[in-house]
Amino acid sequence: MQLARSRPIAALLLCVGLLGFVVSIDPTPSHAEFQPHPTLVPETPHLLYPLVLGTPTYAKPTPNCPGCVGYREVLAADQAGPYIVAGGNFWEVRLRDGSVRTERYFVASNADTGDSVCLGRFQFNGLVRAVEPAGTPGRVYVGGDFTTVAVGGGAPQARSKAALVDLNTCTLDPTFVPTGTNAKVNEMVLSGNRLFVGGDFTNIGGQPIRFVAELDPTTGVVRPAFQLTFGDSGEYEKIRNMGVNPGGTRLVFAGRFGTVSDGVRTNTSLTAVVDVSNPASPVLTAHRYPSPLPLYYLQDASVSPDATTVGLAYGTGTAYDYTYLVETGESLQSARWQHYMRDTSAGIAVSNNAVYVGGHFCFIDAGPGNTQLMAPRMNLDFCTGTQIGGAGAWRTHVAALSLTDGTPVAWNPGANSSFGAREMTVTSRGLLMGMDGQFVNDSLQTGALAFFDFGPQGDGQAPGLVSFSAAAWSTVSGTPVRVSGSASDNVGVSRFRVQVYSQDLRFVQANGSLSSSPFEFSATAVNGQFSLDLPVGMASGLYVVTAKAVDGAGNQSASWATTGFTLAVGDGQAPGLVSFSAAAAWSTVSGTPVRVSGSASDNVGVVAVPGAGVFAGFAVRSGEWVVVVVAVRVLGDGGEWSVLVGSAGGDVVRVVCGDVEGG
């Protein structure tokens, strides 16, 4: 059964699993029974490798922007047994070691460890637009624009817009061989031993069947008994999403098809509910929901896990930037609610407790219920939505809306997508979001696929604080600088988030340069420990390192652990002690500013005194301990902050404070 998936503009059904013998498909549902989400999904994603990159860009002109370029993205994602599978128009991926390699259209990862699976094994000659778990864990149907699939660099094998792969063995199934599909498949859903596909095709398997078809899940042969008649709305992306109810008796789909008929009943509708309890004779029910807006503006649809509701996302025109939730009752329907997003909604997914929406918006309508304003993410505090009157709420390119009335709920991870997240799929583990961006949570690089993961066991216990291995504030010479540490967790630490700041509050980037743009490194945990080599290109200076541990469920340490070091590149000899000049020590002066001067010797030369700010103030305890504040640096996030102070003896001390209000 399809689990509330959004389909970006097309999705084909393709299956892979190249075995040397015939593999039968178990007559069981494609997914394990959907496990309702206990809460909203976590805001911090679980990293998956390889990271799908948005490069190389490609020409993507629009009437208002003829020179615009597009970033490559994930267009389909789902979980198949222990694996997360993704397809799209991407060409490049980044591995854990930082290297970049070509990997077109299809990737897979282990859901628990985040490690890549079957890397380089499958070569599709066209885009992958749909993935659907098969009956056996680890096997997955794949669909899209392709016509051939090669395995391990071997000869291309014909697969007309669909194939079946086995991620347990990294092979292509030799028996599932669809033929004669004349256009892309945008969607697919497996229910028992019935495989439904939807797309823009008008001929499939040699049969003149339009837009929705049923295939044999073992062979890929068309089952001609399932056939509906569609009008021609003149729009592409005829089918945007499909789902089947838990009992397997109702097929629900939505798209830009316009009209649909079973030969007895004809409905003009955006959504359809078909009685499929008799495989020999599909019956179109009386359900209908005429599109409230022009079909052209429909961007995505999502059938809920129980097939009782359908979410609809509209966009690309300010007057049409709405999302809707519609029930699948078998009569004329009106929307349960509509919500104005103030900018394009690109993707949508319906879970058991929220409607997740991705798009180009950053400030959406508040209400009708109580709405938390929250704060802008990704340094984006200006967008179309901020120019529209009325109460609003910050939700940066991704939002969660109430199932009851569409009110924005308190969930705002933020994303730096361009057009928006066009792929959103709900699974028992959480939410998969495919986008044309690379970052969420302001600075966490997930690549074009973010996995908001509850974890395998519903783990709600956070890891402990990070303990660093090296002595704090030591001087190191040469690069790369290795940072290491550890943390404990009841299940096990998955990775570590690491941020590095320079003395002037700039972030160290992946290439060692400094920028005001937030950036963080991710280090894989091995037995609760990590070791991270910072970039070779870092310059000499004082650096602050902060880290949090993250487990497989997305729980993370309650606060940032902090250490620091002074880097001397190409010069391991420290300057001598400072000798103050002019005034006698501890003299009394009147008036401000007070000028302090002095000198020090060095084998190369003294460049600067470290510090983000110098304060003309002295703190005295018991008449003896004198501290001169030489640097103030805000660390971490949330309500925690800290400062660094330099003592008269040259030591650097970290003082942690409770909150920004001075508590």
Side-chain angles (χ1 to χ4, degrees):
M1 167 183 149
Q2 172 79 29
L3 295 186
R5 148 189 349 228
S6 99
R7 275 299 172 257
I9 287 192
L12 175 61
L13 128 74
L14 184 47
C15 319
V16 185
L18 175 66
L19 305 178
F21 49 89
V22 175
V23 177
S24 62
I25 303 298
D26 297 331
T28 55
S30 61
H31 295 70
E33 190 67 25
F34 176 74
Q35 299 299 312
H37 291 179
T39 61
L40 295 173
V41 298
E43 286 194 350
T44 301
H46 177 188
L47 285 188
L48 300 172
Y49 286 89
L51 298 182
V52 176
L53 302 180
T55 53
T57 59
Y58 61 97
K60 191 178 180 180
T62 67
N64 296 326
C65 184
C68 279
V69 298
Y71 296 93
R72 297 184 183 275
E73 58 192 305
V74 166
L75 301 173
D78 210 331
Q79 181 166 355
Y83 309 116
I84 299 298
V85 187
N89 64 359
F90 50 84
W91 282 16
E92 295 178 336
V93 299
R94 177 176 294 144
L95 308 185
R96 281 191 188 275
D97 63 7
S99 61
V100 175
R101 61 168 289 157
T102 298
E103 195 78 13
R104 294 191 179 188
Y105 311 140
F106 181 86
V107 293
S109 310
N110 184 288
D112 295 329
T113 67
D115 294 329
S116 58
V117 176
C118 301
L119 192 65
R121 286 292 293 170
F122 302 112
Q123 294 85 47
F124 295 86
N125 73 337
L127 274 59
V128 170
R129 299 179 179 272
V131 291
E132 171 72 359
T136 301
R139 288 164 60 82
V140 59
Y141 294 101
V142 186
D145 298 353
F146 55 86
T147 57
T148 66
V149 184
V151 180
Q157 302 179 50
R159 293 294 188 276
S160 182
K161 309 295 192 293
L164 175 60
V165 300
D166 191 328
L167 298 175
N168 303 305
T169 58
C170 300
T171 53
L172 177 68
D173 190 294
T175 62
F176 184 85
V177 187
T179 60
T181 307
N182 67 348
K184 62 190 176 187
V185 172
N186 302 332
E187 187 54 77
M188 58 200 302
V189 57
L190 178 67
S191 177
N193 65 351
R194 307 182 71 181
L195 180 62
F196 299 100
V197 299
D200 288 353
F201 54 83
T202 57
N203 195 292
I204 183 169
Q207 301 287 330
I209 297 175
R210 295 162 60 89
F211 309 157
V212 178
E214 181 181 346
L215 304 182
D216 183 298
T218 301
T219 65
V221 173
V222 171
R223 291 174 172 170
F226 183 91
Q227 193 163 163
L228 300 170
T229 301
F230 292 87
D232 189 351
S233 64
E235 301 294 344
Y236 64 101
E237 305 299 343
K238 298 298 193 299
I239 305 299
R240 301 309 301 275
N241 192 240
M242 304 173 72
V244 177
N245 69 340
T249 62
R250 294 293 187 274
L251 172 68
V252 181
F253 56 86
R256 296 169 169 173
F257 50 84
T259 62
V260 57
S261 174
D262 62 358
V264 176
R265 184 193 305 275
T266 299
N267 292 340
T268 298
S269 182
L270 185 68
T271 55
V273 178
V274 182
D275 183 346
V276 293
S277 55
N278 181 359
S281 179
V283 176
L284 183 65
T285 72
H287 168 90
R288 56 199 186 280
Y289 177 69
S291 180
L293 301 171
L295 283 176
Y296 170 81
Y297 295 101
L298 176 68
Q299 299 301 311
D300 198 20
S302 172
V303 179
S304 65
D306 60 4
T308 60
T309 58
V310 181
L312 303 168
Y314 287 80
T316 72
T318 303
Y320 305 117
D321 294 333
Y322 285 88
T323 57
Y324 297 81
L325 189 66
V326 179
E327 297 177 1
T328 57
E330 296 180 6
S331 62
L332 179 64
Q333 298 293 307
S334 57
R336 178 187 294 180
W337 52 255
Q338 66 180 44
H339 195 84
Y340 188 39
M341 306 300 287
R342 302 191 180 187
D343 209 331
T344 294
S345 295
I348 192 167
V350 183
S351 78
N352 61 289
N353 60 11
V355 177
Y356 296 97
V357 186
H360 193 62
F361 50 81
C362 83
F363 196 68
I364 67 178
D365 264 14
N370 183 46
T371 306
Q372 289 190 29
L373 175 64
M374 306 196 79
R377 303 295 299 260
M378 316 306 295
N379 294 318
L380 183 62
D381 59 2
F382 179 85
C383 62
T384 301
T386 60
Q387 308 304 300
I388 296 173
W394 293 106
R395 300 293 188 271
T396 308
H397 290 183
V398 60
L401 307 178
S402 163
L403 279 174
T404 304
D405 59 9
T407 298
V409 297
W411 187 79
N412 183 28
N416 76 331
S417 53
S418 178
F419 180 75
R422 296 202 293 166
E423 159 61 11
M424 304 189 82
T425 295
V426 168
T427 74
S428 295
R429 284 280 293 258
L431 174 70
L432 290 162
M433 181 176 78
M435 58 178 176
D436 58 355
Q438 289 287 298
F439 290 86
V440 300
N441 293 166
D442 298 321
S443 60
L444 178 62
Q445 186 173 16
T446 62
L449 179 65
F451 182 24
F452 300 96
D453 180 24
F454 285 114
Q457 300 174 350
D459 175 26
Q461 183 173 328
L465 298 181
V466 174
S467 175
F468 292 100
S469 302
W473 311 112
S474 57
T475 298
V476 296
S477 59
T479 59
V481 176
R482 176 164 293 178
V483 178
S484 59
S486 62
S488 60
D489 184 66
N490 63 316
V491 176
V493 176
S494 173
R495 64 183 179 89
F496 291 81
R497 299 173 60 192
V498 181
Q499 294 182 331
V500 184
Y501 304 80
S502 65
Q503 62 187 33
D504 58 354
L505 303 181
R506 291 183 294 165
F507 291 82
V508 175
Q509 305 293 303
N511 63 359
S513 64
L514 298 174
S515 171
S516 59
S517 299
F519 183 84
E520 73 179 49
F521 300 91
S522 181
T524 302
V526 179
N527 297 324
Q529 302 177 344
F530 79 97
S531 180
L532 174 68
D533 285 343
L534 298 180
V536 174
M538 293 173 60
S540 297
L542 175 69
Y543 291 92
V544 179
V545 180
T546 63
K548 280 188 176 185
V550 184
D551 64 20
N555 304 308
Q556 52 187 314
S557 305
S559 60
W560 293 88
T562 303
T563 188
F565 61 89
T566 298
L567 174 62
V569 178
D571 175 19
Q573 183 173 329
L577 297 178
V578 174
S579 174
F580 290 99
S581 57
W586 310 114
S587 57
T588 299
V589 295
S590 60
T592 57
V594 176
R595 174 164 295 177
V596 179
S597 59
S599 62
S601 62
D602 184 70
N603 64 315
V604 176
V606 177
V607 177
V609 177
V614 176
F615 291 73
F618 298 83
V620 181
R621 174 184 290 180
S622 302
E624 295 181 359
W625 183 38
V626 181
V627 176
V628 181
V629 178
V630 297
V632 176
R633 184 168 295 101
V634 178
L635 302 175
D637 57 12
E640 180 192 2
W641 63 285
S642 61
V643 299
L644 303 181
V645 301
S647 73
D651 298 322
V652 180
V653 182
R654 177 175 184 264
V655 181
V656 178
C657 305
D659 55 50
V660 294
E661 283 77 27

